[in-house]
Amino acid sequence: MQDLIFNENFVVIFLIIVFSIIQSLFGVGILLFGTPTFLFLGFSFEEALSFTLPASLSVSFLQILTNIDLARDKKRSIQIITPSLILGLCILIYIQKTELIQFYVGLMLILIAIIRMSKGVHEIFKGLIKKYNKVSLGIIGLIHGFTNLGGGFLTFYASAKYSDKRLITTNIAFIYAIFALIQITFLSLFSEYTLNYLSLYLMMVSGLVFIISGRFLINKIKNRDYSRIITLIIFLYGLLSLISYF
């Protein structure tokens, strides 16, 4: 039994390290890939959140700390995100079925991949975000509340507003940090979600990964190559999530 727990923990730690490297470089990764991965491995949605939320918060906080002057519209973002995210979390608590949540996760991933693959759809989507900025951020908060995958749409939101890579990743990190703080607080009060020693350990591990890798590698990544690979992975994750549901 102890060996089984040790092996599970090792797998969780390894995956968080991998996704932390991705998030350190591009602003998203721990929630976007961690959530469907842990669901696919048989963990409950609450367990997936206990692994991913603290780790994501740690990386996001460090990203903000090192580039605090680049964070934009902080007060307005918090005012828009808070009610929409809480509504999404209420939907999550009402559903309370990991299998059904996995289905929605799969649908969201497929949608994100389609938008990323089609240049025309991508441009239309970015145009809508620019035109309906506040509404878009509210919808992203709602989606994130019950799927934990708002990050996929958050990348579109940030890239529609900014062109500089550091500006994009810092503002994604700021909103991600707000997401995680609200999620952890709300779910701790109103659901079976709990923080444990592993959650805190993952928080420290992901922070160390950011310090070691993210700060030194961000300028060496080619956006085009990353975008293609990440889109393919998102699409495959979506298919796997839907296949697992059926």
Side-chain angles (χ1 to χ4, degrees), residues 10-24:
F10 178 81
V11 170
V12 171
I13 293 168
F14 174 76
L15 289 172
I16 288 295
I17 289 173
V18 172
F19 299 140
S20 294
I21 292 172
I22 296 173
Q23 182 155 325
S24 296

Side-chain angles (χ1 to χ4, degrees), residues 2 7 15 33 53 57 76 86 89 108 112-113 132 160-161 181 191-192 210 221 225 227 234 244:
Q2 288 183 335
N7 290 335
L15 289 172
F33 297 129
L53 286 177
L57 177 60
R76 188 189 68 129
I86 289 176
L89 290 170
M108 289 298 106
I112 292 168
Y132 304 103
K161 293 187 66 177
L181 283 171
S191 76
E192 297 179 4
F210 171 78
I221 301 297
D225 293 340
S227 181
I234 290 172
S244 297

